Amino acid sequence: KQWYQTQSTGQYEIWQVMLVTVALTLMSEAILNFLIQDEPLFARIKKQVFKTAKKAPFVGAMIKAKVDKTKAEMALDGPWVLPPGHTYQVTLPAQGLDDKELFTTIAHYNSLNDVEWRAGRCSGTIYCAEEDKNEMLSEVYKKYCWTNPLHVDCFKDVRKMEAEVVAMCGHMFNHPDKASGSVTSGGTESILMSMKTHRDWAREVKGIDKPNIVCPKTAHPAFDKAAAYFKIHIIHVPVDPVTYSALIPLL
């Protein structure tokens, strides 16, 4: 206080200076937090405009009407609508099922399916082998259904299989001698792990702390998931309506 009195002109009280300083500091922090985020500023402005517009009575009512209409249509048709004789089991049964009851229940569930996926008419959905391979696959599965690849000290055979699969795949793509990898649960996780690996590599090797990825808007949804999970800015490129090739010049 004594220093302030010796330095100031006496125009403002010390509490006024402190209050203005705190207010300006908080305001500056709020502005920086708004400007510097993982999501681009323009995208956040659009979201805020849409969020504000939804609060308008006529806009909110219009959106609600559209949503209600869609829900009503979904309630009438779709794979989630059960045919007569089927209901959803939403609680655990008080008593477990014996083998006969279990297989009867499974057969009842199977009766819901009306798509001939075994005939190969579901592209990208399921990749089934020939019927004569089913017994062999079942036998292999029985041997490994209780293994856990996470515990390589207990399941050395599974670890060896994984290492060999990774090496084979790497060889197909002319991998470097010290390349490594891991087996994932499917396509989505593979894309997620690839995106994370490239993000981490770019950060450590290139010093890129705000990465982005460019992909066509028809790309697998896992790219959008990975971008959200790992804070990667994703840029969607339009595609040609005939060839579905990415239209890079429109970036």
Side-chain angles (χ1 to χ4, degrees):
K1 182 176 181 180
Q2 291 177 347
W3 176 87
Y4 175 76
Q5 290 174 344
T6 59
Q7 299 294 322
S8 70
T9 61
Q11 185 177 0
Y12 300 102
E13 294 291 336
I14 186 171
W15 67 268
Q16 292 176 311
V17 175
M18 294 177 62
L19 182 63
V20 171
T21 302
V22 171
L24 289 175
T25 301
L26 294 176
M27 186 183 302
S28 300
E29 183 181 14
I31 292 174
L32 285 174
N33 288 337
F34 178 76
L35 294 176
I36 305 175
Q37 292 187 23
D38 296 312
E39 189 176 23
L41 177 61
F42 183 65
R44 284 183 281 124
I45 291 175
K46 287 196 300 183
K47 283 185 178 180
Q48 188 61 43
V49 170
F50 183 71
K51 183 178 180 181
T52 304
K54 287 196 301 181
K55 295 180 180 179
F58 68 95
V59 176
M62 183 175 62
I63 294 176
K64 185 178 184 303
K66 290 283 188 180
V67 172
D68 291 342
K69 180 183 177 183
T70 302
K71 288 182 177 180
E73 292 173 352
M74 292 175 62
L76 296 175
D77 187 29
W80 44 82
V81 180
L82 298 179
H86 289 269
T87 58
Y88 284 106
Q89 178 74 38
V90 296
T91 59
L92 288 173
Q95 298 292 330
L97 304 177
D98 60 30
D99 291 355
K100 182 179 180 180
E101 292 172 328
L102 176 61
F103 283 106
T104 300
T105 301
I106 291 176
H108 188 56
Y109 274 80
N110 284 339
S111 67
L112 290 169
N113 300 326
D114 55 3
V115 178
E116 291 296 331
W117 56 269
R118 289 184 177 84
R121 297 178 182 177
C122 295
S123 176
T125 303
I126 187 74
Y127 304 97
C128 54
E130 296 81 359
E131 288 291 334
D132 60 350
K133 301 293 191 302
N134 288 347
E135 185 175 348
M136 177 270 293
L137 292 172
S138 298
E139 286 299 317
V140 173
Y141 182 76
K142 283 195 296 185
K143 293 180 180 295
Y144 289 95
C145 63
W146 292 110
T147 57
N148 187 340
L150 181 64
H151 299 283
V152 296
D153 53 338
C154 295
F155 305 104
K156 297 182 178 65
D157 49 350
V158 178
R159 188 213 61 80
K160 181 174 182 293
M161 292 179 192
E162 180 180 32
E164 291 173 344
V165 169
V166 170
M168 292 174 187
C169 293
H171 181 73
M172 291 172 60
F173 291 95
N174 300 314
H175 65 82
D177 291 338
K178 295 184 179 180
S180 59
S182 62
V183 174
T184 65
S185 60
T188 292
E189 188 184 2
S190 294
I191 293 173
L192 293 176
M193 293 298 95
S194 177
M195 293 267 287
K196 181 182 182 301
T197 300
H198 282 85
R199 184 205 64 176
D200 294 347
W201 177 86
R203 179 187 296 159
E204 293 296 325
V205 179
K206 300 290 187 179
I208 299 174
D209 57 1
K210 293 187 180 299
N212 66 69
I213 180 174
V214 179
C215 66
K217 67 178 184 179
T218 52
H220 195 286
F223 286 99
D224 293 88
K225 292 180 182 179
Y229 290 160
F230 306 131
K231 299 186 182 302
I232 301 172
H233 175 45
I234 188 167
I235 303 172
H236 294 102
V237 181
V239 298
D240 186 281
V242 178
T243 64
Y244 286 94
S245 298
L247 299 175
I248 303 299
L250 296 182
L251 272 176

